[in-house]
Structures are given as structure tokens and as C-alpha cells.
């Protein structure tokens, strides 16, 4: 069989979706660990951020890989969603989805779209100013600026509220997504039950941890 | 049975003259339905009433009426094979319903299961997937080896047997929000992949069956797990994971 048809098959797409999701999950764990330091120590947070911002491997290799990973994940998510809609041209007059599946599992596209909208805001808040600082205005490296920039963004109650809302939807996305990705790559065996617990723990700890950090800085102004 | 009583119900049923017609939900009133009757007997009763009224009866699929052939279908009150789990529509009884209930009855909906008439859908896409690889080629010249001569670990034999319990009804597709056939195909791939007799053709089998599944227009599994809950034969999601592993291994060969 031609390799091209294998690569464009439903299973290949599922596996690609799962791998990109798992990649984002590991990135998010790193991002979360660094942000968490801001609650304990301004210095540690600043030095971690400075390292991430100026290490050439991270800037020129990992950052483009991450950008590709995010774009790939949501574009593939849209492609699958459109194909899946096309697979049922006439909707049921009455459908009882909650009888057999969770809301989170049936609405990955909704939670995903909210996370995508959040990413827009996030880039506007942090990534564009960062690129501007480093490459457009080419300002000198200042390893003490990050903490202040972070805290400043959580002054506004509206922005803090939007952040929290987005993370609740990320929680739902990961509540289904983490374990779904395991099943997609074919991992379903005697270790799965333990892994499911880890998946649920991740889905709770990371998003609600981000919410905690945002609220911490908001009320600590 | 002494506890049986008669109930009056309202039915909302999909009517469609033929494959090309547009179709719509129609409302019917049916009185004096015994709670001891089966769901399909209730439809028989409705059809008698329609024939007496010189109207065209509702077409619906059925054969064994005992949960083994996979011919009956129906999406009842928003669920494949109705409100019970682990049963087919022919095993559903009217005691599950109350006097005055409105019951929605729709065909299994999938691009790959086109409506033939009313509640009857064409599930031959499943046959084509089977024909693409859901078999073991044997020489039936008379020199066949007794299957029992090949030792098989009990654990594998049990898993293969469970997978082989699939009756090809299509409830998994009907209930899946993505119209995915992966539970069915996962079961059919697994039932052979687990046995030594099936290993010989394993690579081509999974590649061909998945290709046919995609060509028929079924959607992509997103692991909601709805199929596993609604499957009348309790086919497990493990079979989908196994198919994915088989497919990955086959595509690397
Ligand atoms: C950028 C916006 C995003 C969109 C539009 C999006 C969309 C989707 C969609 C539609 C699915 C379901 C497809 C499927 O299961 O086959 C999905 C699955 C998934 N997403 Fe996202 N997502 C986004 C962001 C994220 C993020 C930030 C993460 C992790 C931190 C993530 C992790 C996952 C995982 C693990 C899965 C499960 C994959 C699988 O079932 O195999 N997603 N996403
Ligand atoms: S897997 Fe279950 S629901 Fe799907 S066709 Fe087989 S028996 Fe029916
Ligand atoms: S009619 Fe045979 S399974 Fe229902």
C-alpha cells in the first residue's frame, strides 16, 4: 500500500493529534513550573525567564517547534472536526449524548476554540511585547524586568477574569485530552488505570495552578 | 404476566419514501400497547393500525428478534437501541416506557449508512470493510488442521472471543458524535490479531480494513467512549487501542 494513504489515514491523523497534544502538555508543565516560581521568589522567576528568553537553543529551536506544534494541533483539530461533521449529514431530532459520554469529550472543539482565543490574548500580552523588546527596539538584556511585567498584566480584574475562564476550559480540554491521547497512540493496558489518575491530576493541577498564580498576583498588587 | 398493563403512547417517527426522498418526523398516537410486548411488537401494532387506515406501514429492520443477528437498529429517544445498555432494540420491552410517553424513533444516522426507506438503513459499508480483510484465508481442500490443534493462551482466546461477539449492528457508528466505525473495525481486527491463525495476514488486514473504513466516509474517533456504552455486546475500547497499535506496526513494515 502507498505510504501516502497510510499517512493521511484516520488513524495517522489521530496519532498526530495525540502526539501534538502530548507535546503541548509537556511544554505546559514546564511553563507552569516557571510561573509557579513567581509566587515564591522574584529572583528565581526572573532568572528562569531570562534563561528561556536568551538561550539560543530555546529561542531558535524550541520556540519554532512549539509554534509549529500549536498551529499543527489546532489546524488538525479543525480538519478532524469538519470531517467528523461530514460523517453525519443529517442530525438526530433527539440525541441524548450525556447518557453515554462526558461534556468535555463531546466538546473538545469548543474548549479548544476558547483556548485558541486565549492564546491570541496571551500573545498580544506577552509574546508581541517580548519580540518588540528584543528584536524591533533591540533593547539591552535586562534580567530583572520579567517579574514586573508579569505582575502588571494581572492588575486588571477583567483580564485576570478572562485568564481564569480560559483555564477552566483548558481544564476541560485536558480532562478528556490527556487520557484520550493515550488511547489514540494505542496505550490501553494494565498500567492505564494508574495513568488515567495521573492524567486527571495533571488536568486539575496545571490549569487551576495557573488560575492560582493569576489570582495571587491580582490580589497582591 | 400479571403485572402487564396497557399504555397509550405518542410516537415521533422518521418517514422517508425512498433513498432520494427528503423525509421528515411524523407523529402517531398508539393506544392499548401492552407493557409485556417488545418494542418491535409495538411497531408491528402500529403498522397494523396504519394498514387498517390505508396508510403505508413503517419500514424497519429486524430478523432474529433475540439479539444475535445485528439486523435491528433504531435510534430511540436519542440513544442507539434505546434506553437500556447491553441490549439490542429487539430485546427492548415496552415496560421501559410509561403511559403518555412520547417516543422518538429515528434511523441510525451516518453518511456511510444511507437511508433506504423510513427506518431502514443500508449497512453494506460494514460488509465491504469485512471483505477488505476481516477473514483468515484457509485452504479448504480437506487437509485443514483442526483449530484446537493450535494451542492458544487462554487470555488471548478470551479477548478474541469477546471481540468476536460483535454482531455488526452499527450502534457504535450511530451513537458516535463523529460517526466513527472504529469500535466495529477495532473488534474485527482484534478478533484475528489475537490468534495465531490471524497473525499471518495481520499487516495487510489492518491496512486494508482501515483504508476501506476511511473510504466509506466514517468519521474519526475522538475517544468519547459513547460506542462502548451503547454497544449491545459490550465491545471494549481496548479493541480500538489494539487496532491503532496494529496499524502503527503495519505501517512501519
Ligand atoms: C490552540 C487551541 C486548541 C484547539 C483549537 C484544540 C482543539 C482540539 C480538538 C478539536 C481536539 C479533539 C480532536 C481529537 O481528539 O481527535 C483536541 C484534542 C487534544 N488537545 Fe487540543 N486544542 C487546542 C489546544 C490544546 C492545548 C493548549 C493542549 C495541551 C496543553 C491540548 C491538548 C490536547 C490533547 C492532549 C488532545 C487529545 C488528543 C487525542 O485525543 O488523541 N490542546 N484539541
Ligand atoms: S462494536 Fe458493538 S455496536 Fe458496533 S457493530 Fe459491533 S456489536 Fe454493534
Ligand atoms: S433482530 Fe436480530 S439482533 Fe435484533
Amino acid at each position: 500500500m502507498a505510504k501516502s494513504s497510510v499517512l493521511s489515514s484516520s488513524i495517522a491523523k489521530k496519532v498526530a493529534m495525540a502526539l501534538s497534544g502530548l507535546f503541548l502538555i509537556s511544554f505546559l508543565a514546564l511553563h507552569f513550573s516557571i510561573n509557579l516560581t513567581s509566587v515564591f521568589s522574584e529572583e528565581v522567576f526572573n532568572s528562569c525567564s531570562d534563561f528561556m528568553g536568551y538561550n539560543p537553543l530555546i529561542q531558535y529551536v524550541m520556540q519554532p517547534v512549539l509554534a509549529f506544534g500549536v498551529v499543527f494541533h489546532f489546524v488538525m483539530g479543525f480538519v478532524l472536526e469538519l470531517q467528523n461533521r461530514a460523517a453525519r449529514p443529517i442530525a438526530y431530532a433527539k440525541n441524548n449524548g450525556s447518557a453515554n459520554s462526558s461534556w468535555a469529550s463531546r466538546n473538545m472543539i469548543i474548549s479548544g476554540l476558547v483556548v485558541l482565543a486565549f492564546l491570541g490574548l496571551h500573545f498580544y500580552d506577552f509574546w508581541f511585547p517580548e519580540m518588540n523588546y528584543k528584536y524591533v527596539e533591540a533593547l539591552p538584556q535586562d534580567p530583572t524586568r520579567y517579574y514586573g511585567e508579569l505582575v502588571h498584566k494581572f492588575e486588571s480584574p477583567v483580564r485576570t477574569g478572562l485568564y481564569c475562564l480560559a483555564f477552566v476550559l483548558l481544564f476541560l480540554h485536558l480532562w478528556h485530552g490527556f487520557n484520550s491521547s493515550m488511547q489514540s497512540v494505542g496505550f490501553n493496558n494494565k498500567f492505564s488505570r494508574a495513568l488515567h489518575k495521573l492524567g486527571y491530576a495533571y488536568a486539575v493541577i496545571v490549569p487551576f495552578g495557573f488560575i492560582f498564580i493569576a489570582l495571587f498576583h491580582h490580589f497582591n498588587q | 404476566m400479571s403485572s402487564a398493563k396497557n399504555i397509550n403512547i405518542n410516537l415521533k417517527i422518521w418517514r422517508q419514501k425512498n433513498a432520494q426522498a427528503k423525509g421528515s418526523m411524523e407523529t402517531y398516537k398508539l393506544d392499548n400497547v401492552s407493557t409485556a410486548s417488545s418494542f418491535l411488537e409495538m411497531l408491528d401494532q402500529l403498522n397494523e393500525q396504519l394498514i387498517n387506515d390505508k396508510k403505508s406501514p413503517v419500514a424497519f429492520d429486524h430478523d432474529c428478534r433475540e439479539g444475535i443477528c445485528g439486523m435491528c437498529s433504531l435510534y430511540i429517544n436519542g440513544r442507539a437501541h434505546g434506553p437500556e445498555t447491553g441490549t439490542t432494540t429487539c430485546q427492548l420491552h415496552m415496560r421501559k416506557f410509561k403511559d403518555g410517553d412520547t417516543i422518538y424513533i429515528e434511523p441510525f444516522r451516518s453518511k456511510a449508512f444511507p437511508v433506504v426507506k423510513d427506518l431502514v438503513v443500508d449497512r453494506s459499508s460494514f460488509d465491504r470493510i469485512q471483505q477488505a480483510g476481516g477473514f483468515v484465508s484457509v485452504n479448504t481442500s480437506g487437509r485443514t488442521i483442526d483449530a484446537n490443534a493450535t494451542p492458544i493462551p487462554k487470555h488471548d482466546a478470551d479477548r478474541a472471543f469477546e471481540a468476536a461477539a460483535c454482531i455488526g449492528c452499527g450502534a457504535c457508528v450511530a451513537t458516535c458524535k463523529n460517526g466513527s466505525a472504529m469500535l466495529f473495525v477495532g473488534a474485527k481486527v482484534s478478533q484475528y490479531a489475537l490468534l495465531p491463525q490471524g497473525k499471518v495476514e495481520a499487516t495487510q488486514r489492518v491496512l486494508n480494513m482501515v483504508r476501506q473504513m476511511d473510504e466509506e466516509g466514517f468519521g474519526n474517533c475522538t475517544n468519547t467512549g459513547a460506542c462502548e456504552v451503547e454497544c449491545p455486546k459490550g465491545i471494549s475500547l481496548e479493541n480500538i487501542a489494539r487496532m491503532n497499535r496494529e496499524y502503527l506496526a503495519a505501517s512501519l513494515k
Side-chain angles (χ1 to χ4, degrees), chain B residues 156-213:
Chain B
D156 291 353
D158 286 349
R159 295 292 92 76
F161 189 84
E162 282 161 21
C166 165
I167 52 175
C169 64
C172 43
V173 174
T175 197
C176 175
K177 84 178 215 345
N178 310 314
S180 166
M182 288 210 182
L183 194 66
F184 166 75
V185 183
K188 295 298 170 197
V189 166
S190 291
Q191 107 185 42
Y192 300 110
L194 285 159
L195 301 177
Q197 292 91 336
K199 293 232 174 4
V200 187
E201 294 160 303
T203 304
Q204 280 315 305
R205 175 181 305 113
V206 69
L207 292 176
N208 290 341
M209 288 180 84
V210 169
R211 195 203 53 226
Q212 190 65 36
M213 169 181 86

Side-chain angles (χ1 to χ4, degrees), chain A residues 52-106:
Chain A
M52 296 300 283
Y54 286 94
N55 180 294
L57 187 68
I58 289 169
Q59 277 300 293
Y60 303 117
V61 182
M62 289 317 285
Q63 187 160 285
V65 170
L66 174 65
F68 175 79
V70 172
V71 173
F72 180 90
H73 183 77
F74 76 73
V75 170
M76 190 57 110
F78 290 144
V79 169
L80 289 170
E81 177 71 16
L82 290 178
Q83 281 189 347
N84 293 345
R85 279 169 189 252
R88 175 158 303 130
I90 302 176
Y92 289 111
K94 185 165 176 162
N95 189 29
N96 185 358
S98 59
N100 49 40
S101 54
S102 68
W103 188 94
S105 73
R106 280 177 280 125

Side-chain angles (χ1 to χ4, degrees), chain A residues 3 10 84 93 95 180 186, chain B residues 75 106 176 214 220 223 245 251:
Chain A
K3 281 282 172 216
S10 53
N84 293 345
N95 189 29
S180 173
Chain B
Y75 214 67
E106 299 173 71
C176 175
D214 290 348
N220 308 285
N223 308 315
R245 290 198 297 276
S251 55

Side-chain angles (χ1 to χ4, degrees), chain B residues 62-72 88 90 167-169 233:
Chain B
H62 58 97
D63 189 2
C64 73
R65 293 205 181 198
E66 56 179 358
I68 52 171
C69 73
M71 201 58 214
C72 59
T88 53
C90 60
I167 52 175
C169 64
K233 299 297 155 188

Side-chain angles (χ1 to χ4, degrees), chain A residues 13-15 17-28 70 73-78 80-81 84 108-117 119 170 173-174 176-185 202, chain B residues 220-223:
Chain A
K13 282 190 230 127
K14 279 191 58 170
V15 171
M17 193 72 200
L19 292 179
S20 61
L22 285 171
F23 170 69
L24 294 179
I25 283 176
S26 47
F27 160 73
L28 207 64
V70 172
H73 183 77
F74 76 73
V75 170
M76 190 57 110
F78 290 144
L80 289 170
E81 177 71 16
N84 293 345
M108 290 295 275
I109 193 69
I110 292 181
S111 53
L113 278 171
V114 173
V115 173
L116 185 61
L119 283 181
L170 181 67
H173 199 75
L174 294 174
H176 176 67
F178 192 110
N179 291 325
S180 173
S181 59
M182 292 298 146
Q183 166 81 4
S184 293
V185 297
Y202 180 97
Chain B
N220 308 285
C221 169
T222 59
N223 308 315

